[in-house]
């Protein structure tokens, strides 16, 4: 296996791990009564009105979007030529602000 294939496997693995951690944190916040927001359900209801189907479809799309976002981060850091804590925080901040300002109102 060459270096590019290894990097892609790392991106897939860490993208899945990061998405799973984010889902776990949002579910924990819901169960503790801190939040009522359920991103997989919200995403799934864009495509179907049945709650059970929306939850499953939304979860699958959420994982796929998590992988897609991890590839965008990988490409960004590859084009820049390196990573740092400050660069990661800046990229995450821009990502979060774009999501809140542009995509969330569309849902």
């Amino acid at each position: 296996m060459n270096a590019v294939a290894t990097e892609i496997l790392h991106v897939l693995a860490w993208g899945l791990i990061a998405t799973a951690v984010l889902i776990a944190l949002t579910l924990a916040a819901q169960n503790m009564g801190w939040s009522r927001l359920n991103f997989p359900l919200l995403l799934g209801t864009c495509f179907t009105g049945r709650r059970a189907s929306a939850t499953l479809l939304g979860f699958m799309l959420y994982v796929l979007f998590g992988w897609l976002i991890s590839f965008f981060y990988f490409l960004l850091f590859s084009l820049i030529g390196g990573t740092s804590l400050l660069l990661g925080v800046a990229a995450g901040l821009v990502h979060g602000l774009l999501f809140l300002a542009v995509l969330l109102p569309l849902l």
Side-chain angles (χ1 to χ4, degrees):
M1 190 172 346
N2 60 16
V4 174
T6 303
E7 284 294 320
I8 289 174
L9 285 177
H10 283 143
V11 170
L12 283 174
W14 284 109
L16 181 62
I17 291 168
T19 304
V21 168
L22 186 58
I23 290 172
L25 289 173
T26 57
L27 288 176
Q30 281 180 315
N31 289 332
M32 288 189 261
W34 294 349
S35 174
R36 293 178 46 193
L37 187 61
N38 184 342
F39 285 122
L41 179 62
L42 183 67
L43 187 59
T45 56
C46 291
F47 300 100
T48 182
R50 296 188 342 228
R51 187 174 178 91
S53 299
T55 301
L56 180 62
L57 178 62
F59 179 78
M60 292 186 321
L61 289 172
Y62 198 75
V63 170
L64 288 174
F65 286 149
W67 273 334
L68 183 65
I69 290 169
S70 69
F71 274 112
F72 284 138
Y73 274 102
F74 171 70
L75 291 174
L76 172 72
F77 293 138
S78 294
L79 289 173
I80 291 173
T83 61
S84 70
L85 180 62
L86 185 59
L87 184 60
V89 168
L93 183 64
V94 168
H95 172 200
L97 290 174
L98 282 174
F99 178 75
L100 288 173
V102 177
L103 294 179
L104 198 58
L106 293 176
L107 296 176

